[in-house]
Amino acid sequence: MIKLVCWNIAKNHDPWRCLVKNEIRADIALLQEATMPPEDVDLEVDPAPFRDPKTGKGLSRCAIVKLSDRVDVKVKYLTPVPLSCAQDGDFKTTHPGCLAAAIITPPDGDSFYAVSFCPEYEKPHRCTGKMAWDIVDASVHRVISDLSLLIGRQRGHRIIAAGDLTIYHGFGEDKGGFWKGRYDTVFNRMAALGLPFVGPQHPHGRQADPWPPELPEDSKNVPTYCKTFRQNPAAAVHQLDYVFASESMADSVKVRALNRPEEWGPSDHCRIEIEVE
């Protein structure tokens, strides 16, 4: 068995130190909104830069981190190449920093791709008069397009993709309206690629209390996001973090949201534990 942890660390240093302690004994971390780790953190991180090579400005990005000292867990990082200069066969990325990937080889199983994703907010065209809107699903679909290039056959691919999508899952028919239809296209498209949504879902995580009005009563969503760092995780109600796995390995993947207040961790997102048998 190999264990991964998915976590949006919100550009903070304390989560890096939490990863060093590795109390949940994970082998690999799939991070979002990661900035350069502090100097007192000694972990193996994928080689993509944390600074803009032209301006020297710090970057926030997705990252793959090896946490375990087990030498028999092998990690081969894929180098992201901007779409504007990528060639056929490259790991193409439309939005820099929104995607990171590696090939993970467990000691006692077949290799698989591990992917960390996090879209970026976009604004509608100024002519729409809706510049106050934050559009996320457009960027999610670009990330899915880049991710789909890791699929080289119709069946049998082995991919675990996880991260912060910043969209909602499972709106009620009478509550979601316009946005339900748009957000559903994300989960439907992933399923069409052979990457169904595998969690976290109740009972593998604490459910919201009070219950969010936009969700039907039979929803299995579990909150993974606090609106602010000051909000008590016990009051969190929204799930924004999701895990997808190839159909060929979905049955061997267990996903759990570490979303109880005492296990939440130093970020506005909780950690997502992923076990691969």
Side-chain angles (χ1 to χ4, degrees):
M1 190 268 286
I2 187 169
K3 184 184 290 188
L4 300 88
V5 60
C6 170
W7 199 7
N8 183 322
I9 63 174
K11 307 176 185 178
N12 290 320
H13 282 174
D14 286 344
W16 282 106
R17 299 184 176 101
C18 185
L19 291 170
V20 172
K21 295 178 181 178
N22 198 14
E23 295 173 350
I24 66 172
R25 300 180 64 82
D27 297 294
I28 303 294
L30 311 178
L31 304 183
Q32 301 87 48
E33 292 192 25
T35 54
M36 183 178 294
E39 293 182 357
D40 60 323
V41 169
D42 184 17
L43 291 171
E44 181 181 310
V45 186
D46 71 74
F50 282 103
R51 291 192 180 279
D52 187 306
K54 295 182 179 179
T55 66
K57 182 180 178 181
L59 300 174
S60 165
R61 66 174 179 87
C62 292
I64 309 285
V65 183
K66 185 176 180 182
L67 303 176
S68 173
D69 58 1
R70 289 196 294 166
V71 295
D72 47 0
V73 176
K74 299 179 181 178
V75 183
K76 180 181 179 181
Y77 302 107
L78 303 186
T79 303
V81 181
L83 188 64
S84 59
C85 56
Q87 300 179 1
D88 287 344
D90 287 341
F91 175 42
K92 301 178 182 179
T93 54
T94 306
H95 283 165
C98 288
L99 199 64
I103 300 173
I104 310 298
T105 304
D108 52 359
D110 295 329
S111 299
F112 62 91
Y113 290 103
V115 179
S116 173
F117 54 67
C118 185
E120 59 182 35
Y121 285 111
E122 298 182 283
K123 297 291 185 182
H125 192 276
R126 62 183 64 87
C127 291
T128 66
K130 291 291 186 180
M131 291 292 287
W133 278 10
D134 286 321
I135 303 297
V136 183
D137 59 315
S139 179
V140 174
H141 279 291
R142 293 188 179 97
V143 169
I144 296 175
S145 294
D146 296 339
L147 169 60
S148 67
L149 297 182
L150 297 179
I151 299 173
R153 51 184 173 178
Q154 293 182 19
R155 297 177 181 85
H157 54 72
R158 294 175 57 80
I159 299 173
I160 292 177
D164 170 18
L165 287 182
T166 321
I167 64 172
Y168 297 124
H169 169 262
F171 269 134
E173 291 289 347
D174 59 335
K175 305 288 179 61
F178 174 75
W179 294 107
K180 170 182 167 54
R182 291 184 64 159
Y183 293 161
D184 283 353
T185 64
V186 171
F187 296 91
N188 293 339
R189 187 178 176 193
M190 290 293 281
L193 291 171
L195 288 165
F197 169 46
V198 295
Q201 292 277 266
H202 186 71
H204 306 293
R206 177 190 63 83
Q207 288 202 284
D209 184 17
W211 190 253
E214 70 271 11
L215 292 180
E217 293 182 359
D218 61 351
S219 171
K220 294 184 178 181
N221 278 15
V222 293
T224 64
Y225 169 71
C226 289
K227 288 185 177 180
T228 69
F229 282 97
R230 296 179 180 179
Q231 183 184 28
N232 186 337
V237 296
H238 297 301
Q239 179 168 356
L240 300 182
D241 304 85
Y242 307 96
V243 181
F244 302 84
S246 296
E247 292 174 346
S248 63
M249 58 188 303
D251 290 342
S252 63
V253 177
K254 298 179 180 179
V255 181
R256 183 168 71 97
L258 304 181
N259 67 349
R260 296 195 302 270
E262 66 272 18
E263 64 184 358
W264 188 278
S267 178
D268 55 353
H269 290 252
C270 75
R271 293 166 292 173
I272 309 298
E273 182 182 78
I274 307 165
E275 294 184 348
V276 184
E277 297 291 346

